[in-house]
C-alpha cells in the first residue's frame, strides 16, 4: 500500500515559503511512516524502507526538491480500493508540488550554446544537491528535544519567520519517529517471534532516551547518529571516530561497555548501511585540529568491524601519512587483504596543505573530512556543492580535432579553432585543445552556477538543522548560512587526453607515419579499415609506465584544466574546485566521446581513475605509482584525485610487506590517494560465469566499492580489463 504522508504535510499550511512546507511535510512523514524492529536488531532505523511506499519524498536531488515516484503513483491510481476523490486530491497536489522544483524555469533560461554543450557531454551541470558533512557531534551532545525547544524560543524572539519553525517541526518529527521505535519494541516484549526480550528492552530504553535528550552512552550515540543519517538522506558520516570517541572512551573507562560490545553495536549499525545500499562515506584517522594524531582505539575498532563484516560499506576513508604509526599501516593492509577495497587511503601530507591552499585555516585544514565518494571538505561549516559540475576533456580534444564540431550530436559546440587536417606541427594541436578546453570550462561553469542559483530556494530542513552556523544565522546551507562555499567539479578522461596527445606527437609529427587528415579519417571511422594505424597509436607511450614525456603531458593538461576551473568564482561564494573522483562517469561520459588517438574505440569507457587507462600500465605497479606521483598535487586545490590500483593475490599475499613499503613510498613521493583492489583476473572471470558463488566479491568502481556480481555487465568487463599487477616491477596483465 502506497502512502502520501509527506505530501499531506507539505500542503497542510498556507504559506509562500517552501521551507516551512517542507518542515510540515517532514514532521508528518516522520510521525506516521512505518517503523521496524526485527529479530536480532541492536540498532534500529530503516526509514529508507518506509520511504519505498511514499509517492513523493523530500530528497533534494537531480533537478528537483522532491522525488516524485511515477511508478508508485501509477499503482496508487490503479488501486480500486482507493476512492476517486482521494485519487483526484492526491493527483492535484502532486502537480502542485512540481511548482516548487528549483529546476522550474531553469531550462527555459539556458542558451542554445549551453544546451549544445550539455548534449555534447564536454561540460555540464549535474543538477545535483551534493553532499555535506553535518555536525552529528553537536546533535549527540545536545539532543533533539533541546534543539527543538531552542528553535521554538528563537521563533518567540528574533528568529527568521518560517525558517526556525521549519527546523523545529523537523526536529519534533524526528523525535516522534524515534519514540515510535521505542513503543514498537516494548509492544513486542514477550511476544516471541524470534525476538530477544532483553534486546527489545534495551532498544526501547535507548530510543526513549535519544528521542528527547542527548546520547548518554556509546550505544545511544551509535543509535541516535544512525537515526540522524536516515533523516538526512543517508549522506556522509563525516569524521565518525572523532565525534564518537568521547562516548566510547567514557563507557570503556566506567566499565559500562566492553570493546566487544562496542564492536557489536558498530557492526549492527553497518548492517543498516548495507541494507540501505548507498555510498555512505565514513572518515577515520587523521589529525586533531591542533595537528596532533587523531588515531585512537576506536579508529582500529571501526576497521576491525568493517573487515569482519566483509561488506561493501561504509565507504571507509582512512586519513594516513607515510610516517604514520606502523600499526596503522598494518591494519590498513590487513583490511585491504579481504578484497573489500576498504579503506581508501588519503595522504594527510597532501590533503592538509591542499586545504590550506583553498583558503582554510590550520584547524579546518587539519579537520578535513571526505564526503560523497571521496571529495574533501571541511565538516559542519562548509557547503562545497559536491559534484555540481562535470567536465570531459577527452571530448574537448575531440572537438579540437573537428574545429569545435560534435560529430555525434551534429552541432557546433566549441569555437572554430581551425581544420585539424591541415595542422603541420604539434603546437597547433595543443593550441586548439587549449582553446576548446577554456571555452568548455566557461560554459560548464555558467551552467553549474545556474544550478546553484536555483537552489537558493531549497531549505533541506533536516540537513540545515544539523548545521549550527546555519541555525544561528537563520539561513539554510544553500542560502548562505555556512562559513565557506565553493563548487566541487569532476573531470573525466584526462589520462586519455595525455595518451592521445603523446600518440599524435609520436605517430604523426615525430615519425610521420600518417598525416593529421588520415588520423581524423580513422577516428571518424572508429578505426574500421585503419587497423594498422590504430596498432601504431596503441603502441605509442602511455601514462602510467614511468615514461617522463607522457607523464609530463599528463601533468601539463592536468595543471591547465585545474587552473582554468579554479579561476572561476562560484555562485554561492568561494571558487570552483577541480578533481578526478570519476565515480561511474567514465561510462556515461565515455558514451559521449568518439574514437580517440590513444587507440580507444568510440563511445567506450574512459580511464577509470587518475591512473593509467585500462590495461595500459604494463611497466608494473612501481612504474604506475612513479607516474602518478608526477601529477601536480602540490599546485592546486581539488576535490580529490583518485587512483585505482589492482593487485593479484599472489603478489599481495606473497610480498605484502614489500607492497606496504611501496604504498608508503608513494605517499612519501607526494601521492595523494589510493584505492586498492586485491583480486585476480581469473577470479573476476569466474565470478562473471558463476555469480552465485561470488556474491561477496567486492571491487572498487570509481570512488566507491560495490559487489562485483551486482554490477552491470559492461562495468564488470571494464573492471576486469584493468591491469592486474603480479609483481612490483613489470609482470602486469
Amino acid at each position: 500500500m502506497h502512502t502520501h504522508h509527506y505530501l499531506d504535510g507539505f500542503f497542510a499550511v498556507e504559506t509562500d515559503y517552501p521551507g516551512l512546507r517542507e518542515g510540515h511535510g517532514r514532521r508528518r512523514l516522520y510521525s506516521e511512516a512505518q517503523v521496524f524492529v526485527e529479530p536480532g536488531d541492536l540498532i534500529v532505523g530503516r526509514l529508507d524502507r518506509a520511504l519505498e511506499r511514499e509517492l513523493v519524498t523530500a530528497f533534494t536531488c537531480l533537478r528537483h526538491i522532491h522525488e516524485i515516484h511515477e511508478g508508485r503513483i501509477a499503482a496508487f491510481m490503479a488501486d480500486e480500493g482507493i476512492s476517486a476523490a482521494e485519487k483526484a486530491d492526491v493527483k492535484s497536489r502532486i502537480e502542485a508540488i512540481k511548482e516548487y522544483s528549483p529546476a522550474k524555469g531553469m531550462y527555459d533560461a539556458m542558451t542554445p550554446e549551453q544546451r549544445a554543450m550539455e548534449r555534447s557531454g564536454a561540460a555540464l551541470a549535474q543538477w545535483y544537491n551534493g553532499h555535506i558533512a553535518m555536525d552529528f557531534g553537536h546533535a549527540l551532545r545536545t539532543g533533539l528535544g533541546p534543539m527543538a525547544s531552542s528553535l521554538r524560543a528563537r521563533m518567540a524572539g528574533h528568529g527568521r519567520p518560517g525558517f526556525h519553525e521549519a527546523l523545529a517541526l523537523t526536529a519534533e518529527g524526528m523525535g516522534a519517529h524515534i519514540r515510535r521505535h521505542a513503543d514498537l519494541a516494548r509492544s513486542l516484549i514477550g511476544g516471541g517471534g524470534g525476538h530477544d526480550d532483553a534486546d527489545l528492552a534495551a532498544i526501547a530504553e535507548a530510543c526513549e532516551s535519544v528521542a528527547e535528550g542527548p546520547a548518554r552512552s556509546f550505544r545511544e550515540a551509535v543509535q541516535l547518529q544512525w537515526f540522524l543519517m536516515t533523516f538526512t538522506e543517508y549522506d556522509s558520516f563525516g569524521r565518525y571516530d572523532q565525534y564518537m570517541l568521547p562516548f566510547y572512551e567514557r563507557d570503556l573507562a566506567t566499565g559500562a561497555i566492553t570493546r566487544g560490545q562496542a564492536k557489536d553495536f558498530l557492526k549492527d549499525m553497518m548492517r543498516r548501511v548495507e541494507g540501505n545500499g548507498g555510498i555512505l562515506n565514513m572518515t577515520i584517522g587523521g589529525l586533531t585540529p591542533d595537528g596532533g594524531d587523531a588515531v585512537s582505539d576506536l579508529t582500529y575498532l571501526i576497521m576491525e568491524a568493517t573487515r569482519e563484516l566483509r561488506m561493501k560499506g561504509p565507504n571507509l576513508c582512512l586519513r594516513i601519512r607515510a610516517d604514520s604509526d606502523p600499526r596503522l599501516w598494518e591494519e590498513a593492509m590487513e583490511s585491504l587483504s579481504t578484497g573489500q577495497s576498504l579503506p581508501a587511503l588519503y595522504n594527510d601530507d597532501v590533503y592538509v596543505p591542499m586545504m590550506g591552499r583553498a583558503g582554510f585555516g590550520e584547524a579546518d585544514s587539519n579537520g578535513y573530512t571526505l564526503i560523497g565518494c571521496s571529495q574533501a571538505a571541511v565538516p559542519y561549516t562548509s557547503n562545497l556543492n559536491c559534484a555540481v559540475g562535470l567536465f570531459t576533456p577527452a571530448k574537448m580534444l575531440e572537438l579540437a580535432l573537428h574545429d569545435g564540431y560534435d560529430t555525434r550530436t551534429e552541432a557546433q559546440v566549441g569555437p572554430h579553432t581551425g581544420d585539424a587536417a591541415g595542422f603541420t606541427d604539434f603546437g597547433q594541436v595543443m593550441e586548439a585543445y587549449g582553446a576548446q578546453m577554456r571555452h568548455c570550462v566557461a560554459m560548464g561553469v555558467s551552467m553549474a552556477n545556474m544550478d546553484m542559483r536555483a537552489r537558493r530556494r531549497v531549505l533541506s530542513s533536516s540537513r540545515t538543522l544539523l548545521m549550527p552556523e546555519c541555525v544561528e544565522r537563520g539561513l539554510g546551507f544553500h542560502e548562505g548560512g555556512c562559513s565557506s562555499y565553493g563548487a566541487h567539479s569532476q573531470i573525466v578522461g584526462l589520462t586519455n587526453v595525455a595518451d592521445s596527445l603523446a600518440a599524435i606527437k609520436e605517430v604523426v609529427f615525430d615519425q610521420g607515419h600518417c598525416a593529421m587528415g588520415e588520423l581524423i579519417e580513422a577516428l571518424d571511422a572508429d578505426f574500421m579499415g585503419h587497423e594498422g594505424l590504430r596498432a601504431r597509436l596503441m603502441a605509442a607511450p602511455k601514462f602510467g609506465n614511468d615514461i617522463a614525456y607522457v607523464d609530463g603531458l599528463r601533468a601539463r593538461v592536468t595543471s591547465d584544466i585545474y587552473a582554468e576551473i579554479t579561476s572561476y568564482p562560484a555562485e554561492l561564494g568561494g571558487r570552483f574546485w577541480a578533481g578526478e573522483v570519476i565515480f561511474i562517469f567514465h561510462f556515461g561520459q565515455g558514451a559521449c566521446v568518439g574514437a580517440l588517438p590513444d587507440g580507444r574505440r568510440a563511445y567506450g569507457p574512459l580511464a577509470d581513475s587518475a591512473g593509467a587507462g585500462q590495461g595500459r600500465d604494463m611497466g608494473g605497479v612501481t612504474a604506475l605509482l612513479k607516474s602518478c606521483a608526477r601529477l601536480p598535487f602540490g599546485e592546486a586545490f581539488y576535490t580529490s584525485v583518485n587512483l585505482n590500483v589492482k593487485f593479484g593475490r599472489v603478489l599481495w599475499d606473497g610480498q605484502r610487506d614489500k607492497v606496504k613499503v611501496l604504498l608508503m613510498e608513494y605517499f612519501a613521493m607526494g601521492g595523494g590517494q589510493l584505492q586498492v583492489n586485491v583480486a585476480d583476473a581469473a577470479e573476476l572471470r569466474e565470478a562473471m560465469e558463476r555469480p552465485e558463488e561470488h556474491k561477496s566479491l567486492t571491487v572498487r568502481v570509481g570512488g566507491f566499492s560495490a559487489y562485483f556480481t551486482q554490477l552491470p555487465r559492461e562495468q564488470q568487463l571494464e573492471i576486469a580489463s584493468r591491469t592486474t599487477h603480479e609483481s612490483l616491477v613489470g609482470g602486469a596483465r
Side-chain angles (χ1 to χ4, degrees):
M1 178 180 177
H2 291 104
T3 56
H4 42 87
H5 301 311
Y6 179 83
L7 195 64
D8 291 344
F10 191 87
F11 288 107
V13 294
E14 292 293 334
T15 176
D16 293 330
Y17 179 43
L20 183 54
R21 289 189 181 276
E22 180 190 347
H24 279 279
R26 286 187 183 273
R27 185 173 70 169
R28 179 76 65 89
L29 172 65
Y30 299 154
S31 299
E32 299 187 19
Q34 185 177 5
V35 298
F36 305 90
V37 177
E38 298 176 331
D41 281 352
L42 300 177
I43 303 300
V44 293
R46 286 301 308 270
L47 182 61
D48 52 351
R49 187 182 299 176
L51 292 180
E52 292 174 359
R53 304 181 177 196
E54 285 287 303
L55 303 181
V56 177
T57 51
F59 185 84
T60 312
C61 58
L62 301 176
R63 297 178 168 85
H64 303 295
I65 291 179
H66 304 101
E67 285 188 306
I68 299 172
H69 302 282
E70 299 294 347
R72 301 173 197 172
I73 293 169
F76 178 86
M77 295 301 174
D79 190 335
E80 296 181 357
I82 299 172
S83 70
E86 183 179 357
K87 291 178 182 179
D89 181 53
V90 168
K91 182 177 180 179
S92 67
R93 282 183 283 154
I94 289 172
E95 291 303 311
I97 207 169
K98 294 178 182 178
E99 296 295 314
Y100 293 89
S101 168
K104 184 173 177 58
M106 185 161 54
Y107 294 108
D108 293 338
M110 288 178 67
T111 67
E113 291 79 13
Q114 288 173 323
R115 292 178 187 276
M117 182 64 67
E118 183 181 52
R119 286 194 298 269
S120 77
L124 59 148
Q126 295 196 69
W127 320 112
Y128 183 59
N129 185 54
H131 302 278
I132 57 173
M134 293 156 280
D135 198 344
F136 292 113
H138 170 75
L140 297 181
R141 295 187 299 269
T142 305
L144 289 170
M147 290 171 70
S149 297
S150 174
L151 289 161
R152 291 290 180 187
R154 286 179 182 273
M155 291 165 51
H158 302 286
R160 175 185 168 193
F163 174 86
H164 288 107
E165 182 178 0
L167 300 189
L169 291 165
T170 299
E172 290 161 357
M174 291 175 176
H177 187 76
I178 296 172
R179 280 192 299 275
R180 291 172 56 229
H181 285 80
D183 294 341
L184 177 58
R186 289 215 181 277
S187 73
L188 293 171
I189 292 175
H195 287 284
D196 181 280
D197 285 354
D199 286 344
L200 290 171
I203 289 170
E205 181 183 355
C207 290
E208 285 169 349
S209 174
V210 299
E212 294 293 342
R216 303 169 302 176
S217 66
F218 182 71
R219 178 183 189 147
E220 289 187 3
V222 174
Q223 179 62 85
L224 178 55
Q225 194 281 335
W226 176 248
F227 270 128
L228 295 172
M229 285 288 284
T230 72
F231 297 135
T232 53
E233 283 85 56
Y234 297 90
D235 206 333
S236 305
F237 282 94
R239 299 190 69 187
Y240 191 78
D241 60 343
Q242 301 305 294
Y243 58 78
M244 297 294 291
L245 184 61
F247 301 96
Y248 176 70
E249 290 185 329
R250 185 175 63 207
D251 278 12
L252 280 184
T254 62
I257 195 173
T258 66
R259 193 174 188 275
Q261 288 172 325
K263 188 192 293 186
D264 287 341
F265 295 138
L266 288 173
K267 283 183 174 181
D268 204 52
M269 180 274 292
M270 290 175 181
R271 293 186 183 99
R272 315 300 115 196
V273 175
E274 176 76 0
N276 172 261
I279 304 168
L280 311 188
N281 197 301
M282 179 184 287
T283 302
I284 57 174
L287 302 174
T288 60
D290 62 1
D293 188 358
V295 176
S296 68
D297 185 58
L298 183 56
T299 308
Y300 292 111
L301 190 68
I302 291 166
M303 280 198 282
E304 289 174 27
T306 306
R307 179 167 71 234
E308 291 170 10
L309 284 174
R310 299 210 172 194
M311 299 187 302
K312 66 178 181 61
N315 191 35
L316 200 61
C317 299
L318 175 62
R319 291 180 46 182
I320 194 169
R321 304 181 306 278
D323 62 354
S324 287
D325 187 330
R327 181 192 171 192
L328 188 62
W329 275 102
E330 187 54 39
E331 285 290 325
M333 296 296 288
E334 183 68 19
S335 291
L336 291 169
S337 295
T338 65
Q340 290 173 278
S341 305
L342 296 172
L345 307 177
Y346 294 79
N347 188 355
D348 267 7
D349 286 337
V350 169
Y351 276 81
V352 171
M354 181 271 291
M355 298 299 288
R357 288 192 296 276
F360 293 103
E362 180 181 1
D364 283 343
S365 296
N366 288 336
Y368 81 90
T369 188
L370 289 310
I371 57 175
C373 285
S374 55
Q375 291 91 331
V378 173
Y380 324 143
T381 62
S382 68
N383 175 17
L384 300 181
N385 290 277
C386 184
V388 69
L390 183 59
F391 299 94
T392 314
K395 185 68 181 183
M396 301 172 195
L397 177 61
E398 183 185 1
L399 294 175
L401 297 177
H402 293 84
D403 195 27
Y405 184 77
D406 184 4
T407 58
R408 182 180 65 89
T409 62
E410 299 181 334
Q412 186 70 32
V413 172
H416 291 287
T417 49
D419 182 0
F423 289 173
T424 57
D425 65 72
F426 183 65
Q428 291 175 290
V429 177
M430 291 296 292
E431 185 177 340
Y433 166 72
Q436 296 295 338
M437 181 271 289
R438 291 187 292 274
H439 175 77
C440 291
V441 167
M443 294 293 290
V445 163
S446 71
M447 288 184 277
N449 275 328
M450 289 177 66
D451 183 17
M452 289 183 282
R453 191 178 309 127
R455 291 191 190 279
R456 288 181 181 273
R457 301 177 60 206
V458 177
L459 175 57
S460 193
S461 63
S462 61
R463 296 189 189 187
T464 295
L465 174 68
L466 301 185
M467 302 287 279
E469 283 188 340
C470 294
V471 175
E472 184 66 29
R473 294 172 179 168
L475 294 169
F477 70 91
H478 283 303
E479 298 178 295
C482 295
S483 293
S484 56
Y485 283 87
H488 277 171
S489 301
Q490 303 305 334
I491 306 172
V492 185
L494 273 173
T495 290
N496 301 92
V497 171
D499 288 351
S500 293
L501 291 172
I504 291 172
K505 186 176 187 301
E506 178 172 290
V507 175
V508 178
F509 296 108
D510 292 351
Q511 299 177 350
H513 286 298
C514 73
M516 283 295 293
E518 182 182 348
L519 171 65
I520 294 169
E521 180 182 335
L523 297 176
D524 290 345
D526 196 16
F527 296 112
M528 296 297 293
H530 300 270
E531 288 77 10
L533 175 56
R534 180 172 185 253
R536 289 185 182 277
L537 296 168
M538 292 282 288
K542 298 292 186 289
F543 176 70
N545 294 285
D546 191 21
I547 301 170
Y549 175 70
V550 69
D551 293 353
L553 270 177
R554 176 62 160 91
R556 176 179 172 182
V557 297
T558 302
S559 292
D560 288 348
I561 194 168
Y562 278 33
E564 189 66 22
I565 291 172
T566 57
S567 71
Y568 283 92
E571 174 68 25
L572 300 179
R575 309 201 72 76
F576 276 78
W577 294 43
E580 297 175 67
V581 173
I582 309 300
F583 185 48
I584 56 172
F585 298 136
H586 57 303
F587 284 97
Q589 298 312 105
C592 300
V593 181
L596 291 172
D598 64 351
R600 169 192 163 279
R601 291 194 179 275
Y603 311 125
L606 297 168
D608 63 279
S609 75
Q614 295 87 334
R616 296 183 177 185
D617 46 336
M618 303 306 293
V621 66
T622 301
L624 170 66
L625 296 181
K626 288 174 71 176
S627 288
C628 292
R630 294 189 177 111
L631 293 176
F633 294 117
E635 295 180 10
F637 60 93
Y638 38 82
T639 62
S640 196
V641 180
N642 292 4
L643 172 59
N644 286 332
V645 186
K646 188 167 72 175
F647 291 91
R649 291 195 179 276
V650 171
L651 170 59
W652 186 272
D653 294 338
Q655 301 186 61
R656 197 171 91 177
D657 285 344
K658 291 183 178 180
V659 172
K660 178 177 67 175
V661 170
L662 178 65
L663 302 187
M664 294 167 68
E665 288 178 346
Y666 175 62
F667 274 17
M669 288 189 294
Q673 192 259 17
L674 279 169
Q675 301 179 158
V676 175
N677 284 286
V678 181
D680 290 326
E683 183 180 7
L684 298 179
R685 289 193 296 270
E686 184 177 300
M688 286 190 282
E689 295 170 2
R690 295 191 294 276
E692 69 282 354
E693 298 176 12
H694 298 269
K695 292 181 179 180
S696 63
L697 177 60
T698 308
V699 294
R700 202 72 177 177
V701 180
F704 65 101
S705 295
Y707 294 121
F708 183 73
T709 58
Q710 294 180 8
L711 293 171
R713 187 72 170 182
E714 64 172 350
Q715 291 186 21
Q716 291 179 337
L717 292 170
E718 183 270 322
I719 290 168
S721 74
R722 300 175 187 174
T723 300
T724 302
H725 292 282
E726 304 288 2
S727 72
L728 298 180
V729 181
R733 62 182 177 86

